[in-house]
Amino acid sequence: MAARTDALLEALQWRYATKVFDPNQRIDAGTWAALEQSLVLTASSYGLQPWKFLVITDAAIHAELRPHSWNQSQITDCSHLVVLLKKRTVTAADADRLIDSIATTRGIEAGSLSGYRQMIQVDLIDGPRSQIIGQWASNQVYIALGNLLTSAALLEVDTCAIEGFSPADYDRILGLESSDYQSCVVCACGYRSADDKYASLAKVRYAASELIEHR
């Protein structure tokens, strides 16, 4: 167990927000498949999974997106660019889909989940949180982002989470304007360049004694 905890902490110490990617290094198919599965396995409130993940490897699309990303070089130099999308709203159909999926996967009757179905209805569809459902969905997507960053670090894949972009322009370029999903946050994935000076800088974090309380 000590070796496993050491490996986790070493990976988190190793990772940083990569500023310069090596455009000649690509993530192999097996590693990328594992990272995609890490996104699929991400936890979400109620298990609703109000997201989609666009994986972009087409250099032409990378180039088209870069001017709408504060001209950041990570957009064009990374191996895989992930645009994490949030669902615009949560509907009764979404709740029904989840209930049916649970019932099928676990071999139970959908009717046995009626109480759970009602909780979703009262909270997210009819309740006060329906008025801020976009923020709720964003919160869920950021759980997926965090999972991707950690999973990538464990596989020694570099990442950079990017909020400096124009969601409206991304939606236009990616054909999302009339879809049920919209751009929320972006993550560039690949391998750091030897020229990235940030790779060798000490990580700046406040002490655990300041951030964590035990009661």
Side-chain angles (χ1 to χ4, degrees):
M1 181 62 72
R4 292 166 62 185
T5 56
D6 286 348
L8 171 63
L9 296 178
E10 286 171 8
L12 294 177
Q13 284 287 351
W14 171 84
R15 73 149 301 277
Y16 72 109
T18 303
K19 301 299 187 292
V20 184
F21 284 96
D22 182 344
N24 297 314
Q25 287 200 65
R26 316 304 294 177
I27 302 170
D28 69 82
T31 299
W32 187 255
L35 290 177
E36 287 192 356
Q37 197 61 22
S38 77
L39 286 168
V40 171
L41 291 171
T42 296
S44 62
S45 182
Y46 292 109
L48 274 166
Q49 306 158 72
W51 49 49
K52 279 192 176 180
F53 310 107
L54 289 185
V55 179
I56 302 172
T57 56
D58 186 323
I61 301 177
H62 283 215
E64 191 173 3
L65 292 173
R66 179 167 171 169
H68 306 290
S69 316
W70 297 5
N71 200 38
Q72 296 174 86
S73 64
Q74 296 99 314
I75 300 296
T76 49
D77 291 345
C78 69
S79 172
H80 293 60
L81 187 70
V82 184
V83 183
L84 294 90
L85 312 179
K86 66 178 181 179
K87 204 164 188 303
R88 295 178 188 272
T89 188
V90 174
T91 67
D94 295 317
D96 291 339
R97 179 190 180 196
L98 175 63
I99 296 302
D100 289 343
S101 181
I102 294 172
T104 299
T105 301
R106 297 178 178 171
I108 59 178
E109 294 294 328
S112 68
L113 299 167
S114 60
Y116 193 61
R117 169 65 177 78
Q118 183 62 15
M119 286 174 60
I120 298 171
Q121 184 77 34
V122 170
D123 182 16
L124 300 179
I125 300 171
D126 296 333
R129 285 211 287 183
S130 66
Q131 303 303 309
I132 54 167
I133 203 67
Q135 183 59 55
W136 175 86
S138 291
N139 292 345
Q140 306 307 306
V141 169
Y142 273 78
I143 299 173
L145 173 64
N147 199 28
L148 176 59
L149 298 180
T150 300
S151 299
L154 287 166
L155 297 181
E156 296 186 346
V157 172
D158 288 299
T159 54
C160 184
I162 297 172
E163 290 185 310
F165 74 104
S166 168
D169 286 307
Y170 266 57
D171 288 352
R172 174 180 53 79
I173 292 168
L174 299 173
L176 299 170
E177 291 176 311
S178 60
S179 80
D180 292 335
Y181 298 86
Q182 60 188 145
S183 302
C184 181
V185 67
V186 176
C187 187
C189 306
Y191 296 101
R192 66 189 68 178
S193 168
D195 297 329
D196 191 352
K197 64 181 181 181
Y198 290 92
S200 60
L201 295 180
K203 192 179 294 294
V204 179
R205 295 292 187 272
Y206 298 123
S209 59
E210 296 182 51
L211 302 177
I212 299 171
E213 292 186 12
H214 298 94
R215 299 187 180 184

PDB file of all heavy atoms in Angstrom, residues 155-178:
ATOM      1  N   LEU A 155      -0.484   8.264 -15.576  1.00  0.00           N
ATOM      2  CA  LEU A 155       0.032   7.634 -16.793  1.00  0.00           C
ATOM      3  C   LEU A 155       1.165   8.440 -17.421  1.00  0.00           C
ATOM      4  O   LEU A 155       1.590   8.146 -18.537  1.00  0.00           O
ATOM      5  CB  LEU A 155      -1.107   7.453 -17.799  1.00  0.00           C
ATOM      6  CG  LEU A 155      -2.255   6.532 -17.359  1.00  0.00           C
ATOM      7  CD1 LEU A 155      -3.309   6.434 -18.456  1.00  0.00           C
ATOM      8  CD2 LEU A 155      -1.727   5.149 -17.003  1.00  0.00           C
ATOM      9  N   GLU A 156       1.636   9.460 -16.703  1.00  0.00           N
ATOM     10  CA  GLU A 156       2.720  10.333 -17.157  1.00  0.00           C
ATOM     11  C   GLU A 156       2.391  11.008 -18.489  1.00  0.00           C
ATOM     12  O   GLU A 156       3.232  11.134 -19.381  1.00  0.00           O
ATOM     13  CB  GLU A 156       4.047   9.568 -17.239  1.00  0.00           C
ATOM     14  CG  GLU A 156       4.507   9.070 -15.880  1.00  0.00           C
ATOM     15  CD  GLU A 156       5.899   8.441 -15.912  1.00  0.00           C
ATOM     16  OE1 GLU A 156       6.396   8.142 -17.014  1.00  0.00           O
ATOM     17  OE2 GLU A 156       6.476   8.251 -14.831  1.00  0.00           O
ATOM     18  N   VAL A 157       1.151  11.456 -18.581  1.00  0.00           N
ATOM     19  CA  VAL A 157       0.703  12.284 -19.700  1.00  0.00           C
ATOM     20  C   VAL A 157       0.519  13.693 -19.171  1.00  0.00           C
ATOM     21  O   VAL A 157      -0.106  13.897 -18.120  1.00  0.00           O
ATOM     22  CB  VAL A 157      -0.618  11.760 -20.299  1.00  0.00           C
ATOM     23  CG1 VAL A 157      -1.186  12.732 -21.319  1.00  0.00           C
ATOM     24  CG2 VAL A 157      -0.390  10.387 -20.934  1.00  0.00           C
ATOM     25  N   ASP A 158       1.045  14.662 -19.877  1.00  0.00           N
ATOM     26  CA  ASP A 158       0.936  16.055 -19.446  1.00  0.00           C
ATOM     27  C   ASP A 158      -0.395  16.657 -19.866  1.00  0.00           C
ATOM     28  O   ASP A 158      -0.977  16.275 -20.895  1.00  0.00           O
ATOM     29  CB  ASP A 158       2.082  16.876 -20.034  1.00  0.00           C
ATOM     30  CG  ASP A 158       3.412  16.558 -19.375  1.00  0.00           C
ATOM     31  OD1 ASP A 158       3.515  16.773 -18.157  1.00  0.00           O
ATOM     32  OD2 ASP A 158       4.322  16.074 -20.072  1.00  0.00           O
ATOM     33  N   THR A 159      -0.848  17.620 -19.078  1.00  0.00           N
ATOM     34  CA  THR A 159      -2.128  18.262 -19.347  1.00  0.00           C
ATOM     35  C   THR A 159      -2.065  19.745 -19.023  1.00  0.00           C
ATOM     36  O   THR A 159      -1.209  20.195 -18.258  1.00  0.00           O
ATOM     37  CB  THR A 159      -3.255  17.640 -18.485  1.00  0.00           C
ATOM     38  OG1 THR A 159      -2.868  17.686 -17.106  1.00  0.00           O
ATOM     39  CG2 THR A 159      -3.554  16.207 -18.889  1.00  0.00           C
ATOM     40  N   CYS A 160      -2.997  20.474 -19.589  1.00  0.00           N
ATOM     41  CA  CYS A 160      -3.203  21.867 -19.207  1.00  0.00           C
ATOM     42  C   CYS A 160      -4.688  22.163 -19.320  1.00  0.00           C
ATOM     43  O   CYS A 160      -5.264  22.111 -20.422  1.00  0.00           O
ATOM     44  CB  CYS A 160      -2.411  22.805 -20.111  1.00  0.00           C
ATOM     45  SG  CYS A 160      -2.558  24.550 -19.602  1.00  0.00           S
ATOM     46  N   ALA A 161      -5.322  22.424 -18.197  1.00  0.00           N
ATOM     47  CA  ALA A 161      -6.729  22.833 -18.201  1.00  0.00           C
ATOM     48  C   ALA A 161      -6.806  24.285 -18.643  1.00  0.00           C
ATOM     49  O   ALA A 161      -6.020  25.124 -18.194  1.00  0.00           O
ATOM     50  CB  ALA A 161      -7.330  22.665 -16.814  1.00  0.00           C
ATOM     51  N   ILE A 162      -7.755  24.580 -19.525  1.00  0.00           N
ATOM     52  CA  ILE A 162      -7.834  25.909 -20.133  1.00  0.00           C
ATOM     53  C   ILE A 162      -9.244  26.475 -20.007  1.00  0.00           C
ATOM     54  O   ILE A 162     -10.210  25.896 -20.526  1.00  0.00           O
ATOM     55  CB  ILE A 162      -7.412  25.846 -21.619  1.00  0.00           C
ATOM     56  CG1 ILE A 162      -5.947  25.413 -21.728  1.00  0.00           C
ATOM     57  CG2 ILE A 162      -7.635  27.186 -22.320  1.00  0.00           C
ATOM     58  CD1 ILE A 162      -5.484  25.124 -23.140  1.00  0.00           C
ATOM     59  N   GLU A 163      -9.354  27.586 -19.301  1.00  0.00           N
ATOM     60  CA  GLU A 163     -10.604  28.340 -19.258  1.00  0.00           C
ATOM     61  C   GLU A 163     -10.536  29.575 -20.149  1.00  0.00           C
ATOM     62  O   GLU A 163     -11.564  30.204 -20.412  1.00  0.00           O
ATOM     63  CB  GLU A 163     -10.926  28.769 -17.828  1.00  0.00           C
ATOM     64  CG  GLU A 163     -11.326  27.636 -16.904  1.00  0.00           C
ATOM     65  CD  GLU A 163     -11.760  28.143 -15.540  1.00  0.00           C
ATOM     66  OE1 GLU A 163     -11.029  28.951 -14.926  1.00  0.00           O
ATOM     67  OE2 GLU A 163     -12.839  27.732 -15.092  1.00  0.00           O
ATOM     68  N   GLY A 164      -9.336  29.913 -20.591  1.00  0.00           N
ATOM     69  CA  GLY A 164      -9.144  31.091 -21.434  1.00  0.00           C
ATOM     70  C   GLY A 164      -9.500  30.824 -22.878  1.00  0.00           C
ATOM     71  O   GLY A 164      -8.626  30.674 -23.740  1.00  0.00           O
ATOM     72  N   PHE A 165     -10.782  30.746 -23.142  1.00  0.00           N
ATOM     73  CA  PHE A 165     -11.270  30.522 -24.501  1.00  0.00           C
ATOM     74  C   PHE A 165     -12.672  31.097 -24.612  1.00  0.00           C
ATOM     75  O   PHE A 165     -13.319  31.414 -23.604  1.00  0.00           O
ATOM     76  CB  PHE A 165     -11.263  29.031 -24.860  1.00  0.00           C
ATOM     77  CG  PHE A 165     -12.353  28.223 -24.203  1.00  0.00           C
ATOM     78  CD1 PHE A 165     -13.465  27.817 -24.934  1.00  0.00           C
ATOM     79  CD2 PHE A 165     -12.282  27.871 -22.863  1.00  0.00           C
ATOM     80  CE1 PHE A 165     -14.474  27.074 -24.346  1.00  0.00           C
ATOM     81  CE2 PHE A 165     -13.287  27.128 -22.262  1.00  0.00           C
ATOM     82  CZ  PHE A 165     -14.389  26.728 -23.009  1.00  0.00           C
ATOM     83  N   SER A 166     -13.163  31.229 -25.834  1.00  0.00           N
ATOM     84  CA  SER A 166     -14.506  31.758 -26.064  1.00  0.00           C
ATOM     85  C   SER A 166     -15.474  30.604 -26.299  1.00  0.00           C
ATOM     86  O   SER A 166     -15.475  30.002 -27.385  1.00  0.00           O
ATOM     87  CB  SER A 166     -14.507  32.679 -27.289  1.00  0.00           C
ATOM     88  OG  SER A 166     -15.834  32.966 -27.687  1.00  0.00           O
ATOM     89  N   PRO A 167     -16.291  30.258 -25.307  1.00  0.00           N
ATOM     90  CA  PRO A 167     -17.237  29.158 -25.491  1.00  0.00           C
ATOM     91  C   PRO A 167     -18.159  29.345 -26.692  1.00  0.00           C
ATOM     92  O   PRO A 167     -18.457  28.378 -27.414  1.00  0.00           O
ATOM     93  CB  PRO A 167     -18.022  29.146 -24.170  1.00  0.00           C
ATOM     94  CG  PRO A 167     -17.075  29.726 -23.175  1.00  0.00           C
ATOM     95  CD  PRO A 167     -16.338  30.800 -23.932  1.00  0.00           C
ATOM     96  N   ALA A 168     -18.603  30.580 -26.934  1.00  0.00           N
ATOM     97  CA  ALA A 168     -19.512  30.819 -28.058  1.00  0.00           C
ATOM     98  C   ALA A 168     -18.844  30.500 -29.391  1.00  0.00           C
ATOM     99  O   ALA A 168     -19.452  29.895 -30.286  1.00  0.00           O
ATOM    100  CB  ALA A 168     -19.996  32.265 -28.039  1.00  0.00           C
ATOM    101  N   ASP A 169     -17.573  30.889 -29.533  1.00  0.00           N
ATOM    102  CA  ASP A 169     -16.855  30.602 -30.771  1.00  0.00           C
ATOM    103  C   ASP A 169     -16.566  29.111 -30.907  1.00  0.00           C
ATOM    104  O   ASP A 169     -16.635  28.554 -32.006  1.00  0.00           O
ATOM    105  CB  ASP A 169     -15.570  31.417 -30.838  1.00  0.00           C
ATOM    106  CG  ASP A 169     -15.830  32.877 -31.145  1.00  0.00           C
ATOM    107  OD1 ASP A 169     -16.516  33.169 -32.133  1.00  0.00           O
ATOM    108  OD2 ASP A 169     -15.370  33.744 -30.373  1.00  0.00           O
ATOM    109  N   TYR A 170     -16.216  28.474 -29.822  1.00  0.00           N
ATOM    110  CA  TYR A 170     -16.017  27.020 -29.864  1.00  0.00           C
ATOM    111  C   TYR A 170     -17.308  26.331 -30.303  1.00  0.00           C
ATOM    112  O   TYR A 170     -17.283  25.421 -31.147  1.00  0.00           O
ATOM    113  CB  TYR A 170     -15.600  26.503 -28.488  1.00  0.00           C
ATOM    114  CG  TYR A 170     -14.105  26.390 -28.279  1.00  0.00           C
ATOM    115  CD1 TYR A 170     -13.276  27.502 -28.435  1.00  0.00           C
ATOM    116  CD2 TYR A 170     -13.520  25.198 -27.908  1.00  0.00           C
ATOM    117  CE1 TYR A 170     -11.910  27.409 -28.223  1.00  0.00           C
ATOM    118  CE2 TYR A 170     -12.150  25.089 -27.693  1.00  0.00           C
ATOM    119  CZ  TYR A 170     -11.356  26.197 -27.858  1.00  0.00           C
ATOM    120  OH  TYR A 170      -9.996  26.105 -27.661  1.00  0.00           O
ATOM    121  N   ASP A 171     -18.427  26.743 -29.721  1.00  0.00           N
ATOM    122  CA  ASP A 171     -19.707  26.127 -30.077  1.00  0.00           C
ATOM    123  C   ASP A 171     -20.010  26.315 -31.559  1.00  0.00           C
ATOM    124  O   ASP A 171     -20.514  25.399 -32.224  1.00  0.00           O
ATOM    125  CB  ASP A 171     -20.833  26.714 -29.236  1.00  0.00           C
ATOM    126  CG  ASP A 171     -20.787  26.266 -27.779  1.00  0.00           C
ATOM    127  OD1 ASP A 171     -19.966  25.384 -27.464  1.00  0.00           O
ATOM    128  OD2 ASP A 171     -21.565  26.803 -26.970  1.00  0.00           O
ATOM    129  N   ARG A 172     -19.683  27.492 -32.070  1.00  0.00           N
ATOM    130  CA  ARG A 172     -19.918  27.752 -33.499  1.00  0.00           C
ATOM    131  C   ARG A 172     -19.040  26.860 -34.367  1.00  0.00           C
ATOM    132  O   ARG A 172     -19.522  26.209 -35.300  1.00  0.00           O
ATOM    133  CB  ARG A 172     -19.657  29.231 -33.791  1.00  0.00           C
ATOM    134  CG  ARG A 172     -19.716  29.595 -35.273  1.00  0.00           C
ATOM    135  CD  ARG A 172     -19.436  31.073 -35.488  1.00  0.00           C
ATOM    136  NE  ARG A 172     -18.195  31.518 -34.880  1.00  0.00           N
ATOM    137  CZ  ARG A 172     -16.990  31.316 -35.428  1.00  0.00           C
ATOM    138  NH1 ARG A 172     -16.872  30.683 -36.594  1.00  0.00           N
ATOM    139  NH2 ARG A 172     -15.890  31.776 -34.823  1.00  0.00           N
ATOM    140  N   ILE A 173     -17.768  26.819 -34.067  1.00  0.00           N
ATOM    141  CA  ILE A 173     -16.828  26.041 -34.873  1.00  0.00           C
ATOM    142  C   ILE A 173     -17.125  24.547 -34.791  1.00  0.00           C
ATOM    143  O   ILE A 173     -17.021  23.820 -35.791  1.00  0.00           O
ATOM    144  CB  ILE A 173     -15.387  26.335 -34.418  1.00  0.00           C
ATOM    145  CG1 ILE A 173     -15.013  27.781 -34.773  1.00  0.00           C
ATOM    146  CG2 ILE A 173     -14.389  25.357 -35.035  1.00  0.00           C
ATOM    147  CD1 ILE A 173     -13.728  28.268 -34.110  1.00  0.00           C
ATOM    148  N   LEU A 174     -17.520  24.085 -33.635  1.00  0.00           N
ATOM    149  CA  LEU A 174     -17.744  22.661 -33.420  1.00  0.00           C
ATOM    150  C   LEU A 174     -19.171  22.222 -33.703  1.00  0.00           C
ATOM    151  O   LEU A 174     -19.526  21.057 -33.493  1.00  0.00           O
ATOM    152  CB  LEU A 174     -17.356  22.297 -31.976  1.00  0.00           C
ATOM    153  CG  LEU A 174     -15.883  22.559 -31.625  1.00  0.00           C
ATOM    154  CD1 LEU A 174     -15.639  22.344 -30.137  1.00  0.00           C
ATOM    155  CD2 LEU A 174     -14.959  21.675 -32.451  1.00  0.00           C
ATOM    156  N   GLY A 175     -20.003  23.141 -34.190  1.00  0.00           N
ATOM    157  CA  GLY A 175     -21.368  22.799 -34.562  1.00  0.00           C
ATOM    158  C   GLY A 175     -22.268  22.450 -33.395  1.00  0.00           C
ATOM    159  O   GLY A 175     -23.134  21.569 -33.504  1.00  0.00           O
ATOM    160  N   LEU A 176     -22.099  23.164 -32.290  1.00  0.00           N
ATOM    161  CA  LEU A 176     -22.853  22.850 -31.073  1.00  0.00           C
ATOM    162  C   LEU A 176     -23.998  23.812 -30.791  1.00  0.00           C
ATOM    163  O   LEU A 176     -24.749  23.607 -29.835  1.00  0.00           O
ATOM    164  CB  LEU A 176     -21.899  22.864 -29.866  1.00  0.00           C
ATOM    165  CG  LEU A 176     -20.753  21.858 -29.883  1.00  0.00           C
ATOM    166  CD1 LEU A 176     -19.773  22.161 -28.744  1.00  0.00           C
ATOM    167  CD2 LEU A 176     -21.271  20.440 -29.782  1.00  0.00           C
ATOM    168  N   GLU A 177     -24.140  24.836 -31.591  1.00  0.00           N
ATOM    169  CA  GLU A 177     -25.077  25.916 -31.252  1.00  0.00           C
ATOM    170  C   GLU A 177     -26.516  25.431 -31.096  1.00  0.00           C
ATOM    171  O   GLU A 177     -27.274  25.977 -30.288  1.00  0.00           O
ATOM    172  CB  GLU A 177     -24.994  27.021 -32.304  1.00  0.00           C
ATOM    173  CG  GLU A 177     -23.675  27.781 -32.250  1.00  0.00           C
ATOM    174  CD  GLU A 177     -23.543  28.811 -33.357  1.00  0.00           C
ATOM    175  OE1 GLU A 177     -23.789  28.442 -34.527  1.00  0.00           O
ATOM    176  OE2 GLU A 177     -23.196  29.966 -33.056  1.00  0.00           O
ATOM    177  N   SER A 178     -26.915  24.429 -31.843  1.00  0.00           N
ATOM    178  CA  SER A 178     -28.292  23.929 -31.740  1.00  0.00           C
ATOM    179  C   SER A 178     -28.358  22.564 -31.054  1.00  0.00           C
ATOM    180  O   SER A 178     -29.389  21.895 -31.108  1.00  0.00           O
ATOM    181  CB  SER A 178     -28.920  23.835 -33.134  1.00  0.00           C
ATOM    182  OG  SER A 178     -28.184  22.955 -33.966  1.00  0.00           O
TER     183      SER A 178
END
